[in-house]
Amino acid sequence: MSGVSRRAGRRIVAFACVAPLFAAACADAPTGSDPADDSLLARALAAGLAPMPTEPVRPVENPYDSARVALGHLLFFDPILSGPRDVACSTCHLPRFAFADGRQFPSGAGATGLGPSRTDPEPPPLRLMPRNSPTVFNVGLFGRMSSEPSVNGAMFWGGNAFGLEDQVLNPISADNELRGLTYAKAVALDSVLARLRAIPEYVDRFADAYPAVVDVYGRDPAMLIHRTTLRRAIAAYLRELVTPNAPIDAFLRGDADALTAQQKAGLELFIGKANCVACHRGPNLSDFDFHVLGVLQEGLGRDTTPEDDLGWGEHGGTRYAFRTAPLRQVALTAPYFHAGTAESLEEVIRFKNVARSEHEKVAPEDLAPEFRPLGLTDAEIADLVAFLHALTDTITIKEPLFLAPARVPSGLPIPK
């Protein structure tokens, strides 16, 4: 199917499973009074689950700085970064949709409305977006072909970029995202930088965020506001969107009452019969590797493969392999999969329960070895869904950084 998506979509998120490193750190956690709960906790830790760390992994060249995070917060929500000044990063990553957008495919510059009600312009843009927009929660703890958090984590469904600093500027020049002013990536970015340099408040905020630059070059806007400082500011903000207070975190820290009986049954399946931990492990419940599941393809596809998407294969890896979705906040971020073709968690689990390719070009022998029929009953599927809801942090998401700012320096309307 090509053209506009046929599903309205809701919201999707990704879970990542914990690495042995984190399990070891939690080995001495207090246990519940019920021996069955103690056993489940021990087995969950041994299987690779662990609480989400409260701090992201930060590169040496971009350490935590409150002024830099505050600057990135403003930039993320400011439409000044887009060519027509009508979309921001937050347009496709809205706080009210758990930093996704609730759509099968996002719609960038020129569209109107937000979330599932967003409408593409007439005539339509040069290209619609070919993949579902994932949440940016916990991107500061993504791994690189590993469940262990890394400063070079896999940032896209198909392995297009590794590390936040490598990823955050790409949408600015993309004609189907923020739609830079020209088709030349460097020139488009330069145009956006020129805009920012012309806003006194941004010059002040960049100066506060990068005092070392001021020490060497003074307050010269051309030196303060350039691609390096811009990418580091946005990345610094995104790294702080950590959700470490879900019920599963409390359980893994020793609170036996943090999960309901049904969620505990789902956890048993997750680490046992369903073997979800084969790919969903580590603090983000993902191995951040690329696997072939034969997921149904919808949408326009990629530039080089119209109406199709090779995933990791587009970059020299296995054809039709896509990054394991991290599962944190997953109950809030439907639709699911790279093409947004599953509208509910139950639909995802039923697809994996059958373990049959829905892609006409993916043969049974091409499927990942971890992808096999599970033999789950309807009751067990319901238990797994209940467990996935235990991965939702409803405490941290109330923090100010998880909300849109009251205003942005450009004065433009904020997508929120």
Side-chain angles (χ1 to χ4, degrees), residues 140-156:
L141 287 157
F142 281 13
R144 183 184 178 109
M145 277 79 154
S146 167
S147 62
E148 293 192 40
S150 168
V151 296
N152 295 311
M155 291 292 119
F156 287 112

Side-chain angles (χ1 to χ4, degrees), residues 34 114 226 298 391:
D34 188 330
L114 293 171
H226 55 79
E298 291 184 354
L391 303 172

Side-chain angles (χ1 to χ4, degrees), residues 194-281:
R195 290 179 183 176
L196 295 173
R197 292 165 186 160
I199 300 174
E201 183 179 346
Y202 269 129
V203 175
D204 291 341
R205 288 185 173 274
F206 272 86
D208 290 342
Y210 298 98
V213 176
V214 175
D215 289 343
V216 177
Y217 300 103
R219 294 172 57 85
D220 179 358
M223 301 308 299
L224 273 174
I225 304 177
H226 55 79
R227 63 194 63 207
T228 299
T229 55
L230 178 61
R231 69 159 53 97
R232 287 180 180 175
I234 299 173
Y237 165 65
L238 291 173
R239 281 200 175 89
E240 300 311 307
L241 302 179
V242 180
T243 62
N245 294 311
I248 185 60
D249 296 303
F251 180 81
L252 293 172
R253 293 185 182 113
D255 181 358
D257 297 325
L259 300 182
T260 67
Q262 187 179 27
Q263 288 170 341
K264 289 175 183 176
L267 174 55
E268 289 270 14
L269 292 163
F270 193 88
I271 63 176
K273 179 179 178 179
N275 195 30
C276 303
V277 290
C279 300
H280 293 282
R281 55 184 178 272

Side-chain angles (χ1 to χ4, degrees), residues 19 33 35 87 103 134 172 193 205 239 279 295 299 329 334 362 389:
S33 57
V87 291
R103 296 170 54 87
I172 290 178
L193 293 173
R205 288 185 173 274
R239 281 200 175 89
C279 300
V295 172
Q329 310 295 97
V362 177
H389 279 266

Side-chain angles (χ1 to χ4, degrees), residues 1-12:
M1 169 182 172
S2 63
V4 180
S5 65
R6 64 177 173 84
R7 296 175 187 251
R10 294 170 198 148
R11 299 162 270 186
I12 177 171

Side-chain angles (χ1 to χ4, degrees), residues 75-94:
L75 291 164
F76 185 83
F77 286 90
D78 198 334
I80 195 70
L81 298 188
S82 68
R85 297 176 173 88
D86 64 348
V87 291
C89 302
S90 63
T91 302
C92 297
H93 302 285
L94 295 159

Side-chain angles (χ1 to χ4, degrees), residues 28-235:
D28 296 326
T31 58
S33 57
D34 188 330
D37 290 338
D38 292 350
S39 173
L40 178 58
L41 171 60
R43 285 182 286 115
L45 292 172
L49 303 189
M52 173 68 79
T54 57
E55 295 290 327
V57 178
R58 302 182 180 95
V60 174
E61 66 275 11
N62 198 12
Y64 176 80
D65 180 275
S66 60
R68 194 173 301 180
V69 171
L71 170 60
H73 187 198
L74 294 172
L75 291 164
F76 185 83
F77 286 90
D78 198 334
I80 195 70
L81 298 188
S82 68
R85 297 176 173 88
D86 64 348
V87 291
C89 302
S90 63
T91 302
C92 297
H93 302 285
L94 295 159
R96 58 177 142 144
F97 291 100
F99 282 89
D101 67 354
R103 296 170 54 87
Q104 183 178 10
F105 300 109
S107 186
T112 56
L114 293 171
S117 63
R118 190 165 174 79
T119 303
D120 290 314
E122 291 294 342
L126 297 177
R127 291 187 301 131
L128 298 175
M129 295 192 213
R131 291 175 179 164
N132 178 260
S133 180
T135 180
V136 293
F137 272 133
N138 303 300
V139 289
L141 287 157
F142 281 13
R144 183 184 178 109
M145 277 79 154
S146 167
S147 62
E148 293 192 40
S150 168
V151 296
N152 295 311
M155 291 292 119
F156 287 112
W157 284 106
N160 308 43
F162 292 90
L164 278 169
E165 282 76 9
D166 185 34
Q167 180 272 331
V168 293
L169 298 187
N170 290 341
I172 290 178
S173 58
D175 60 17
N176 59 353
E177 295 187 53
L178 299 188
R179 198 163 303 152
L181 298 179
T182 75
Y183 296 109
K185 183 174 182 179
V187 177
L189 182 56
D190 287 344
S191 298
V192 170
L193 293 173
R195 290 179 183 176
L196 295 173
R197 292 165 186 160
I199 300 174
E201 183 179 346
Y202 269 129
V203 175
D204 291 341
R205 288 185 173 274
F206 272 86
D208 290 342
Y210 298 98
V213 176
V214 175
D215 289 343
V216 177
Y217 300 103
R219 294 172 57 85
D220 179 358
M223 301 308 299
L224 273 174
I225 304 177
H226 55 79
R227 63 194 63 207
T228 299
T229 55
L230 178 61
R231 69 159 53 97
R232 287 180 180 175
I234 299 173

